[in-house]
Amino acid sequence: MRKKIVAGNWKMNLDAAESQKLIEELKSQSLAANVTVAVAPPFVHLSSAVSQTSDSSIGVIAQNMHQAKSGAFTGEVSSSMLKSIGVHTVLLGHSERRAYFHETDALLAEKVDAALADGLQLIFCFGEELAERKSNTHFDVVTHQLTEGLFHLTAAQWENIVLAYEPVWAIGTGETASPAQAQEMHAHIRSVLAAKYDAHLAQGVSVLYGGSVKPANAQELFSQADVDGGLIGGASLNAADFAAIVNAF
Ligand code: 13P
């Protein structure tokens, strides 16, 4: 079922005290009740974020996970570890994971399977780079990322998937996709889903936009027919800005 969602991806920011402070500040903001709100702190803060948000409607998301259940994978975290501390959603496929940690489409398909097999929900991220948009291959790139990462799934498995289109050229650059560019790509995403599955599934999946979303541009982006919310980086580190984005719906 399609929902309005705003999630904050904190990336590798904030120490323990800062994380706790930001969550307290968020809890004191009035957040629109019709929007699903969540934050994705670094792994080390997840446990305290879960307990801090237990008396609120704010969800807690992990930024990544390993595809194996357990084993000799120094430095990694598994889906069952996340579940054991009360985290039931994970971001997968973020462009920073793809670019800096060499996560391929094939690896991401494995991670997707591992997360779903363990009952996690996931926010699957994808998006083209600047050169790909300039060479007008952005629709093909996105189709490919969806096909390789997710199109082996059954329709029923899509119940647990949210998509996040994040054009790489708009992440952390201050340059946002225009509302028309976001809408055009989100409509493309639904048409690819409809062709692979059916119109019902395509209309039911929540598709978020990410890339320099700010209080000043959120309302116009979120008013686009196929944009169901946002995945917010920099602006999610400020409670007032994040709340303003949530309330932009
Ligand atoms: P910014 O909002 O900082 O551009 O980051 C977007 C993002 O990567 C969210 O996952």
Side-chain angles (χ1 to χ4, degrees):
M1 239 286 278
R2 204 154 148 187
K3 285 190 201 159
K4 297 182 196 312
I5 301 170
V6 175
N9 176 9
W10 293 4
K11 310 190 180 183
M12 195 175 74
N13 291 295
L14 308 185
D15 66 19
E18 290 165 342
S19 164
Q20 285 167 21
K21 181 163 172 276
L22 179 53
I23 289 178
E24 286 313 314
E25 287 171 356
L26 266 183
K27 283 167 62 177
S28 70
Q29 302 282 329
S30 62
L31 301 172
N34 62 337
V35 181
T36 300
V37 178
V39 292
F43 283 132
V44 291
H45 306 325
L46 287 174
S47 230
S48 70
V50 167
S51 57
Q52 262 188 293
T53 53
S54 62
D55 60 351
S56 79
S57 57
I58 300 167
V60 177
I61 298 174
Q63 295 177 18
N64 182 33
M65 56 168 257
H66 194 270
Q67 65 277 20
K69 281 194 171 306
S70 63
F73 300 103
T74 301
E76 293 292 324
V77 168
S78 72
S79 56
S80 58
M81 293 172 192
L82 296 175
K83 278 188 1 184
S84 72
I85 59 163
V87 173
H88 300 283
T89 307
V90 63
L91 294 183
L92 289 177
H94 194 281
S95 64
E96 289 148 19
R97 300 292 319 168
R98 293 176 190 259
Y100 306 141
F101 303 97
H102 314 293
E103 295 199 358
T104 61
D105 291 321
L107 173 70
L108 289 168
E110 277 186 61
K111 290 193 177 201
V112 164
D113 289 343
L116 293 175
D118 221 5
L120 292 186
Q121 308 214 305
L122 56 98
I123 300 181
F124 187 83
C125 311
F126 54 92
E128 82 283 0
E129 293 179 15
L130 183 59
E132 293 164 336
R133 181 159 282 263
K134 284 194 166 156
S135 63
N136 210 29
T137 54
H138 48 298
F139 293 116
D140 293 342
V141 168
V142 161
T143 303
H144 184 80
Q145 289 170 324
L146 291 173
T147 304
E148 298 297 313
L150 298 172
F151 280 8
H152 60 287
L153 300 177
T154 65
Q157 288 178 297
W158 279 81
E159 292 290 319
N160 292 310
I161 294 182
V162 166
L163 298 178
Y165 167 60
E166 300 201 298
V168 178
W169 48 271
I171 295 178
T173 58
E175 187 175 346
T176 319
S178 69
Q181 285 172 320
Q183 168 56 28
E184 184 185 34
M185 183 58 87
H186 284 222
H188 171 74
I189 292 161
R190 288 196 206 282
S191 77
V192 171
L193 282 171
K196 167 68 188 173
Y197 296 92
D198 57 42
H200 177 73
L201 186 147
Q203 288 305 318
V205 174
S206 303
V207 187
L208 314 184
Y209 167 79
S212 298
V213 179
K214 303 183 258 308
N217 58 25
Q219 189 162 22
E220 215 185 338
L221 286 162
F222 296 170
S223 67
Q224 303 302 308
D226 289 302
V227 177
D228 301 310
L231 185 56
I232 320 301
S236 73
L237 299 173
N238 177 291
D241 285 353
F242 189 62
I245 292 170
V246 170
N247 295 332
F249 267 112

